[in-house]
Structure formats: structure tokens, C-alpha cells
Amino acid sequence: MTWDPDAPGVLRLPSGRLVRGRGLRVPLPPGPHPSYGVYLLGKQPPPTEWEFTWLRWPDFRLPADRGRAREVLAEAWRRSVDERVELACAGGRGRTGTALACLAVLDGVPAPEAVTYVRRHYSPHAVETPWQKRYVRRFEPPGK
């Protein structure tokens, strides 16, 4: 019940978990829908057919509540073992790339290497701003 590893936007984490990143401004890709989504937007997203969590995260910025962001991203990482999890913002690059890099940290990628990992395996344009890069370098799992 996970993603096709060759589908567009699917990131394979070192553990083998698959997570899809995408931009919400483009139509939903063909194929199965997510079973769980995390939407990184400045305002509430419209309803979907699947379960999702809205994480308030204005464009080009950082999450409004960083503690909640750690919890939401940890939940997405846990669910990615056997569910189709997607992370998405408007364009699918900055906020989505930052969140995917945080999932890579949760999956064992050293924080200083996580942006490079996501740029290599998801999009070379992932993580757009210096403060997003710094956020990933300082990202710690919940409870630390």
C-alpha cells in the first residue's frame, strides 16, 4: 500500500520508505491517491478524499509552530512504513523539500547532509531559502 518508487515526486528514504512530494498548484498525478497527506500552507487547504493534516507554514518561511511541525513530520514518517504519505505545498519545492529533508533526518540521514540528499533524490530545487536550510540542519526528532 505504498507508492510506486518510480512515480514522479516519490522520494525513497534510506530505510526504503517511500514518500511523495508534490506541488498543489498542479493537478493530482495519475495513480493511487495518498492515504495520508501533510499540507504545508499559510491557509487551510480544501478538503480531500483522504486523511490529512494541515501544518501552517507560510510560503518561503518556516512552520508557524515548530514543535507541532516536529510532531506532524514524525507522524508522517511513522505512517510511511505502510501507507501512501504525501507532503505538499503550493509549488512542491521549498516547504515540501524542507519537510522531506526533515523526514530524511528522522530516517537516519545526518542533518547537515539531508538537504543534499533530498536535492539528489527528489528535486535539485528543493529547500529554497537559507533559513529553510538552517531549519533542516537544526531539526531534531520530537522528544529531544
Side-chain angles (χ1 to χ4, degrees), residues 6-141:
D6 298 320
V10 173
L11 172 68
R12 180 184 295 275
L13 295 167
S15 66
R17 295 168 193 241
L18 302 172
V19 181
R20 181 171 76 185
R22 74 178 181 101
L24 296 171
R25 281 188 282 218
V26 297
L28 190 64
H33 289 177
S35 51
Y36 178 66
V38 176
Y39 300 115
L40 317 158
L41 300 166
K43 62 180 184 174
Q44 176 96 28
T48 63
E49 298 172 20
W50 51 89
E51 182 184 355
F52 74 90
T53 297
W54 169 46
L55 187 57
R56 196 162 83 71
W57 191 330
D59 201 7
F60 295 106
R61 306 246 172 120
L62 297 175
D65 181 337
R66 294 180 192 173
R68 182 165 184 274
R70 280 193 305 276
E71 295 294 332
V72 167
L73 294 173
E75 175 70 11
W77 178 78
R78 281 190 293 274
R79 293 176 77 151
S80 69
V81 168
D82 58 6
E83 292 184 53
R84 287 185 307 274
V85 173
E86 82 168 0
L87 303 178
C89 64
R93 292 182 174 187
R95 294 169 285 181
T96 298
T98 302
L100 288 171
C102 291
L103 263 61
V105 171
L106 292 170
D107 206 62
V109 175
E113 299 170 23
V115 170
T116 301
Y117 182 88
V118 170
R119 286 180 173 169
R120 183 178 309 123
H121 299 285
Y122 170 69
S123 169
H125 305 289
V127 190
E128 295 175 312
T129 68
W131 41 92
Q132 289 172 340
K133 291 177 197 171
R134 188 170 47 249
Y135 179 76
V136 173
R137 282 195 311 270
R138 295 177 178 172
F139 183 79
E140 293 184 358

